[in-house]
Amino acid sequence: MNLRRAVFPVAGFGTRFLPASKAIPKELIPLVDKPAVQYVVEEAVAAGIDTAIFVTAEGKSALEDHFDRSLRLEAFLEARGKVALLEEMRRLGSLVEVVTVRQKEALGLGHAVLQGARAVGDEAFAVLLGDDVIIGHPPAIGRLAQLHAATGAPVVAVMEVSREEIRHYGCVAGEPVEEGVWRVHDLVEKPHPDEAPSNLAVIGRYIITPQVVQELKDTPFDRGGEIQLTEGLRRAAQRAPLYACTFPGERFDAGNKLDFLRATVTLGLRHPELGEGLRRHLEELLA
Ligand code: UTP
């Protein structure tokens, strides 16, 4: 069965990106000329997703507006003959069906996924983190959906990181089953590099099945008062197969200031109108 629905948890405070993320959701901060979350939604749409379920919070309503039509703006662009922009705004306004669900308190990513799951029903769905931007073709989430279609199991995306970096991620312990695919036996959240079972870091793309949702419902709040998605997945992996796979494309954590700058420069240099000017500027700066 093709996956049609995707949950985008965007209800966090984005503390790593303050002060920029105080009044503007960090997912709406642009990489060159598009908000980070638009890249993520476009990736999902390229993989066949037609419904985006945003798990939002107070102060995040601009996110819905971004994917809605603005008839006033369209009329303004039309009256001034700005045809290309008009077409672009119409495309954006009809890119995906939007459903919003509120997470009333920031009680963790697992809790946010549970709120989104209520709008899905009894079927598998994709989860994409709105600040985890992956640039590449074919779409990364499509690779996970393929593996889910072949196995019926939940899937997490992983990438290899250095031993030092693994302390910032969920980490997978598993056995390889084919090139770039592991059967997961255990998951450890932010391990100490000396204790990490591998250098495979879980990043923000998942296929969640009803079984994982059930495990999340049974997952207690941790000491910080949050329900961790990693913990729900760990419990699911202990009862039934769960897979991890690598994905095509380059990944940037747009919620991290340095990675945000890397993404901005990388995408800026590739931009058809801005790339050349930016390259010259960087060459002058570095000369
Ligand atoms: P992060 O930890 O990256 O986001 O959570 P954050 O909490 O917003 O940011 P920092 O770490 O304080 O800078 C991963 C994703 O999960 C969402 C966030 O919006 C982000 O997209 N999230 C997190 C929720 O929707 N609800 C939560 O309670 C926690």
Side-chain angles (χ1 to χ4, degrees):
M1 191 184 63
N2 281 339
L3 291 170
R4 289 183 33 246
R5 295 191 172 97
V7 169
F8 298 80
V10 288
F13 283 110
T15 56
R16 287 172 302 153
F17 221 94
L18 285 169
S21 50
K22 186 180 174 201
I24 299 167
K26 69 172 169 181
E27 297 82 4
L28 280 184
I29 295 174
L31 296 174
V32 188
D33 56 359
K34 279 200 287 192
V37 69
Q38 187 178 333
Y39 292 90
V40 182
V41 169
E42 285 174 343
E43 175 196 326
V45 169
I49 297 290
D50 61 18
T51 304
I53 299 158
F54 288 113
V55 182
T56 69
E58 191 189 354
K60 299 261 181 171
S61 51
L63 252 151
E64 293 154 61
D65 293 342
H66 185 73
F67 293 98
D68 199 0
R69 285 189 68 182
S70 168
L71 298 182
R72 270 183 64 223
L73 174 61
E74 286 177 25
F76 179 87
L77 295 173
E78 192 158 23
R80 280 158 185 74
K82 295 185 184 285
V83 179
L85 269 179
L86 177 63
E87 288 309 309
E88 178 58 14
M89 291 307 103
R90 285 197 175 134
R91 185 190 72 82
L92 182 55
S94 56
L95 187 62
V96 75
E97 192 67 39
V98 172
V99 175
T100 52
V101 175
R102 283 279 179 141
Q103 185 188 25
K104 291 180 184 150
E105 278 182 84
L107 297 176
L109 178 57
H111 182 264
V113 169
L114 272 178
Q115 309 314 302
R118 289 192 282 134
V120 175
D122 197 27
E123 61 183 68
F125 55 96
V127 171
L128 298 94
L129 301 191
D131 56 351
D132 236 338
V133 174
I134 301 176
I135 307 295
H137 296 285
I141 193 69
R143 170 70 192 113
L144 277 70
Q146 255 175 7
L147 188 55
H148 167 71
T151 59
V155 183
V156 301
V158 288
M159 67 177 194
E160 290 185 31
V161 299
S162 70
R163 279 268 155 195
E164 229 357 84
E165 284 173 307
I166 197 76
R167 63 169 84 235
H168 302 297
Y169 295 90
C171 175
V172 153
E175 65 186 283
V177 290
E178 61 181 84
E179 180 69 28
V181 180
W182 292 262
R183 164 108 189 241
V184 177
H185 298 305
D186 200 6
L187 286 141
V188 193
E189 186 62 22
K190 302 190 170 78
H192 187 278
D194 296 339
E195 283 152 23
S198 75
N199 64 342
L200 294 173
V202 177
I203 62 100
R205 299 290 183 274
Y206 313 82
I207 306 295
I208 299 296
T209 59
Q211 183 227 347
V212 176
V213 172
Q214 190 51 52
E215 293 296 346
L216 275 174
K217 285 182 183 160
D218 296 339
T219 300
F221 288 94
D222 67 5
R223 271 188 253 150
E226 297 193 344
I227 297 180
Q228 298 295 346
L229 179 59
T230 305
E231 182 57 22
L233 290 165
R234 198 178 73 80
R235 294 162 71 108
Q238 285 166 355
R239 288 183 224 281
L242 183 146
Y243 293 94
C245 68
T246 53
F247 52 89
E250 262 170 290
R251 178 253 183 192
F252 300 98
D253 177 1
N256 165 296
K257 288 177 184 173
L258 183 58
D259 232 21
F260 167 83
L261 290 174
R262 281 182 51 235
T264 301
V265 173
T266 306
L267 296 171
L269 287 171
R270 287 183 201 158
H271 193 283
E273 286 142 37
L274 308 173
E276 197 38 51
L278 179 60
R279 181 177 313 280
R280 276 202 305 273
H281 178 64
L282 291 175
E283 279 166 3
E284 278 165 26
L285 276 182
L286 297 172

